[in-house]
Amino acid sequence: MATLVTGGAGYIGSHMVLDLLAAGEKVVVYDNLTTGFRDAVAPGATFIKGDVGDEAALDKLFTSHDIDAVIHFAGSIVVPESVVDPLKYYRNNTANSRTLIEACVRHGVARFIFSSTAAVYGDPAVMPIAETEPCAPVSPYGTSKWMTELMLADVAAAHELNYIALRYFNVAGADPEGRVGQSTANATHLIKVACQAALGLRPALSVFGTDYDTPDGTGLRDYIHVADLAKAHRLALAWLRDGGASGIMNCGYGDGFSVMQVIDAVKRVSGVDFTVKIEGRRAGDSPKVVADAGKIRETLGWVPDYADLDTIVWHAFAWEKNLSQKH
Ligand SMILES: NC(=O)c1ccc[n+]([C@@H]2O[C@H](COP(=O)([O-])OP(=O)(O)OC[C@H]3O[C@@H](n4cnc5c(N)ncnc54)[C@H](O)[C@@H]3O)[C@@H](O)[C@H]2O)c1
């Protein structure tokens, strides 16, 4: 039996494929390459180019491959774009997920792992955020993901399908062996952008807001290494294969690092004192977003291997350097 990884040519999906192959799994990657890269897919996986919204192509895929589980990364991920073009997000993240889930039900694929996001919480009053906090997304991106979570819960209650929705906090870093990393053009993730500034690919790095109620006044986020995130999915897969119940779990370390701490780490690791521009607060930014990460540790026995800011930055920087030399 093989595991189907949608979006396996993307940033997180390509790390998942490496993790599964290392664990001896058979992997089929399905990706339309809108933001992913064919060469990010490890050679040991079968690659099929196609769209998650294409019902006929999914039928063909499920008929010609023995798939027992789906890990669904494919989606659109840019929060500000979702505000300007909400229908794109309701199509690609909600409607296309519906098409995929329906294909799973039709073909008897009973295990489903879904890439959700901390954005489903919106602007929570309680920190750290537990899964029991109410969802109140403040962007079409967050809503489009939450709608898919709701759909999965209803489908799991009605059909032979169990699911785990993993709500990622700030994903960062790259493969410790340097095989894959984040290649997305115009990415806005802080650690990636700071590494680009250290490499001279950007003239400066902007910090938005230094007067938040945090120890140094800059925003605090829960950064999780992408390899630890892939490991969490592999454990969720094992959980479902062992007959574990459906559920929703946060993916973060439960620790926050401020924008300034991240910048200091990038300067320390790269040895470059790049220019930092202090700007005003940006609309929609929360002062602090940190996961209560107890549930995933207790349920899946997840123990991260790279929960250290300098390690995350080191891997991200090595990847960025590699990428800049390719172009
Ligand atoms: N990166 C983060 O910090 C973060 C945080 C929370 C949640 N997520 C979620 O994780 C998932 C993966 O994110 P990523 O950072 O790897 O993004 P990415 O853009 O690098 O990867 C997405 C992949 O999906 C593919 N894809 C998109 N739409 C498709 C479709 N309709 N059919 C087939 N393939 C399609 C793209 O080509 C790409 O390879 C997304 O669902 C995202 O919402 C990411």
Side-chain angles (χ1 to χ4, degrees), residues 6-14 30-37 48-54 72-78 91-93 96 114-119 141 145 166-172 181-184 189 224 226 229 233:
T6 75
Y11 169 45
I12 305 170
S14 59
Y30 187 69
D31 197 301
N32 65 6
L33 300 181
T34 46
T35 57
F37 299 88
I48 299 169
K49 186 173 176 197
D51 197 285
V52 168
D54 184 341
H72 179 35
F73 292 102
S76 300
I77 72 158
V78 185
R91 170 170 296 284
N92 205 26
N93 293 351
N96 288 347
F114 175 57
S115 293
S116 191
T117 165
Y141 169 71
K145 289 283 184 175
L166 295 176
R167 292 177 176 165
Y168 315 160
F169 282 64
N170 285 59
V171 188
Q182 191 173 25
S183 305
T184 330
H189 298 62
I224 173 172
V226 63
L229 184 62
H233 288 71

Side-chain angles (χ1 to χ4, degrees), residues 179-255:
R179 295 165 294 180
V180 288
Q182 191 173 25
S183 305
T184 330
N186 310 320
T188 53
H189 298 62
L190 173 64
I191 292 182
K192 184 175 173 79
V193 172
C195 289
Q196 290 173 336
L199 288 164
L201 302 170
R202 291 172 182 263
L205 181 76
S206 292
V207 174
F208 299 100
T210 51
D211 56 351
Y212 287 114
D213 186 16
T214 59
D216 66 16
T218 63
L220 222 78
R221 295 291 179 273
D222 190 338
Y223 295 93
I224 173 172
H225 193 295
V226 63
D228 280 335
L229 184 62
K231 183 181 181 182
H233 288 71
R234 177 162 40 81
L235 295 174
L237 183 62
W239 166 264
L240 291 177
R241 283 182 177 152
D242 285 349
S246 296
I248 293 172
M249 295 173 202
N250 285 340
C251 282
Y253 293 143
D255 284 327

Side-chain angles (χ1 to χ4, degrees), residues 292-308:
D292 177 333
K295 184 173 177 186
I296 189 164
R297 288 175 184 262
E298 282 153 29
T299 313
L300 302 183
W302 177 67
V303 180
D305 298 311
Y306 305 103
D308 169 70

